[in-house]
């Protein structure tokens, strides 16, 4: 049952993304030939007007096919071929069509987080509420301080503080804090975990209490969590590019399905929180300036808007093909790792 739920979640993320492209294309007067969820042979399909709607057998993906979106040669299209086509639309409209999918995923993530926050009555306070008496750096921190940054890692939520401290490699930290509305920066504090009192778990020496949430606080926490998700995506991409990510840390569709399934069995709120992260993750990654992604299309359209000259269709097709081959290679690689991880338990 939980596996089925995970597949439905994938379908939701894809549907929302493609719905964004579809709605803005329709509003821009672009003819949409097909609106598909999934890949492969169609399980269900229905032609309504000019558009074929289909749910396909492989649930990991989807597509909105617009008239004239792809041209494989440089032959001049006829007036009939141009009418209602993607290529004949104004550049700003094409740009909005490309952005709309990521925007809808980002919006979905925000909405899910908000509904998770609605029943919450308390959260971890952003201010330091207690300092251990023998905390070595007590002269730098005070009760009421709000830690806003650890090294280059912004602190939007309490989890970000843990992540920022954990990402540090040498034990020497740079802190940015807010005290009584004033920003204060400390560099090169050699913080380390210690055992305080009769405790058995080492800590850094400062503690955070709990505060009650007003409706306004819940809205603020929603956007703080969203910002935290965006930051985690960029940090992960940075670590991937610099080679600081192990292959075991990478997760593809199979691994994500398993993660959703496991979270659904333990806590629905936890599962939906992960889904919100996935949706915002998808939005950010999709807008990267990488060909075969919407971000790559946006780069080409912006180039056209600046130079007043569109990229030749055959060159765009080559760039998209290269991007697609690279993406498929990455997909196969992470899926293979997912399967190995599941086999090894």
């Amino acid at each position: 049952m939980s596996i089925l739920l995970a597949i439905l979640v994938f379908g939701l993320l894809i549907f929302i993304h493609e719905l964004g492209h579809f709605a803005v294309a329709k509003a821009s007067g672009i003819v949409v030939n097909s609106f598909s969820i999934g890949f492969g042979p169609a399980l269900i399909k229905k032609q309504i007007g000019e558009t074929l709607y289909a749910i396909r057998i492989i649930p990991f993906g989807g597509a909105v096919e617009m008239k004239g979106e792809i041209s494989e040669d440089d032959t001049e299209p006829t007036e009939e071929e141009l009418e209602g086509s993607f290529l004949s639309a104004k550049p700003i409209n094409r740009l909005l069509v490309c952005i709309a999918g990521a925007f809808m995923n980002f919006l979905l993530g925000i909405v899910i987080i908000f509904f998770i926050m609605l029943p919450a009555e308390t959260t971890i306070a952003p201010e330091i509420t207690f300092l251990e008496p023998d905390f070595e750096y007590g002269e730098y921190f005070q009760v009421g301080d709000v830690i806003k940054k650890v090294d280059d890692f912004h602190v939007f939520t309490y989890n970000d503080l843990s992540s920022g401290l954990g990402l540090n490699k040498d034990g020497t930290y740079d802190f940015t804090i807010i005290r009584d509305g004033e920003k204060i920066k400390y560099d090169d504090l050699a913080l380390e975990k210690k055992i305080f009192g009769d405790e058995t778990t080492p800590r850094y020496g400062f503690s955070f209490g709990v505060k009650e949430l007003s409706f306004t606080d819940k809205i603020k926490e929603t956007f703080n969590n969203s910002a935290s998700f965006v930051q985690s995506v960029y940090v992960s991409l940075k670590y991937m590019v610099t080679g600081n990510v192990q292959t075991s840390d990478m997760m593809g569709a199979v691994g994500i399905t398993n993660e959703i399934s496991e979270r659904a069995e333990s806590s629905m709120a936890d599962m939906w929180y992960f889904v919100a992260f996935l949706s915002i993750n998808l939005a950010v990654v999709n807008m990267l300036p990488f060909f075969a992604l919407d971000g790559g299309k946006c780069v080409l359209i912006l180039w056209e808007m600046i130079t007043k000259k569109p990229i030749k269709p055959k060159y765009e097709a080559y760039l998209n093909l290269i991007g697609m081959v690279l993406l498929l290679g990455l997909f196969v690689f992470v899926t293979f790792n997912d399967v190995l991880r599941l086999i090894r338990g």
Side-chain angles (χ1 to χ4, degrees):
M1 183 64 184
S2 55
I3 294 293
L4 177 60
L5 181 61
I7 292 173
L8 291 175
V9 164
F10 263 110
L12 172 65
L13 296 181
I14 297 161
F15 172 75
I16 289 295
H17 182 92
E18 298 302 336
L19 181 63
H21 293 314
F22 175 82
V24 177
K26 285 282 192 181
S28 301
I30 299 171
V31 174
V32 178
N33 294 329
S34 68
F35 180 6
S36 301
I37 302 300
F39 292 118
L43 295 173
I44 304 171
K45 61 181 179 179
K46 185 173 180 62
Q47 183 79 34
I48 301 177
E50 64 194 15
T51 307
L52 175 67
Y53 298 87
I55 298 176
R56 302 187 181 276
I57 195 167
I58 303 173
F60 307 122
V64 168
E65 183 189 332
M66 292 168 277
K67 180 181 178 181
E69 183 179 7
I70 301 174
S71 178
E72 297 181 354
D73 54 50
D74 291 328
T75 57
E76 193 69 28
T78 65
E79 194 171 314
E80 183 180 350
E81 289 172 333
L82 280 175
E83 186 178 358
S85 71
F86 179 79
L87 290 176
S88 67
K90 294 179 180 178
I92 185 63
N93 288 343
R94 283 184 275 137
L95 186 66
L96 291 175
V97 169
C98 293
I99 293 173
F103 172 79
M104 288 293 286
N105 278 127
F106 194 82
L107 183 62
L108 175 64
I110 291 175
V111 169
I112 291 173
I113 297 170
F114 176 69
F115 277 102
I116 291 173
M117 293 300 304
L118 265 184
E121 297 180 354
T122 61
T123 189
I124 298 177
E127 303 89 6
I128 295 174
T129 56
F130 182 75
L131 287 171
E132 295 292 341
D134 55 347
F135 175 50
E136 185 178 352
Y137 289 93
E139 62 181 292
Y140 297 98
F141 297 93
Q142 295 180 12
V143 171
D145 287 351
V146 178
I147 299 175
K148 301 299 291 183
K149 202 173 178 183
V150 180
D151 296 330
D152 292 326
F153 200 82
H154 293 270
V155 177
F156 298 105
T157 69
Y158 176 74
N159 288 335
D160 288 333
L161 177 58
S162 300
S163 298
L165 292 168
L167 287 170
N168 184 281
K169 300 298 183 184
D170 59 10
T172 302
Y173 302 84
D174 298 334
F175 284 92
T176 300
I177 66 172
I178 301 296
R179 180 182 298 159
D180 298 327
E182 180 185 355
K183 182 185 288 186
I184 302 172
K185 195 170 189 306
Y186 298 127
D187 294 329
D188 302 326
L189 297 187
L191 222 61
E192 62 181 51
K193 289 185 177 181
K194 295 181 179 179
I195 298 293
F196 294 94
D198 298 328
E199 296 179 358
T200 57
T201 303
R203 295 188 296 107
Y204 286 101
F206 38 70
S207 301
F208 297 82
V210 174
K211 75 164 188 173
E212 294 185 357
L213 286 172
S214 66
F215 184 76
T216 303
D217 289 331
K218 293 175 183 180
I219 295 174
K220 184 178 179 181
E221 286 297 310
T222 295
F223 285 99
N224 281 340
N225 277 270
S226 300
S228 174
F229 286 166
V230 171
Q231 176 176 235
S232 68
V233 176
Y234 278 113
V235 169
S236 298
L237 289 169
K238 174 185 173 182
Y239 274 42
M240 186 181 297
V241 170
T242 56
N244 290 320
V245 174
Q246 302 289 331
T247 56
S248 58
D249 296 327
M250 302 175 70
M251 187 181 296
V254 174
I256 291 171
T257 301
N258 185 62
E259 184 75 13
I260 293 172
S261 176
E262 289 182 353
R263 287 174 182 253
E265 291 176 356
S266 61
S267 166
M268 290 302 293
D270 189 32
M271 185 209 76
W272 281 111
Y273 191 72
F274 182 63
V275 172
F277 169 74
L278 289 178
S279 195
I280 291 175
N281 188 304
L282 177 59
V284 174
V285 170
N286 193 250
M287 290 310 298
L288 293 175
F290 187 83
F291 298 111
L293 296 177
D294 289 327
K297 294 180 182 178
C298 289
V299 169
L300 296 179
I301 295 171
L302 288 171
W303 173 263
E304 178 184 344
M305 294 172 72
I306 293 169
T307 64
K308 307 300 181 183
K309 294 180 181 180
I311 300 291
K312 290 186 177 182
K314 69 175 182 180
Y315 295 141
E316 182 177 351
Y318 292 153
L319 291 171
N320 287 331
L321 178 61
I322 292 170
M324 185 61 69
V325 169
L326 292 173
L327 283 179
L328 286 174
L330 180 62
F331 175 80
V332 171
F333 177 73
V334 295
T335 301
F336 178 74
N337 276 300
D338 286 345
V339 173
L340 283 182
R341 190 184 298 116
L342 289 174
I343 291 172
R344 293 166 180 168

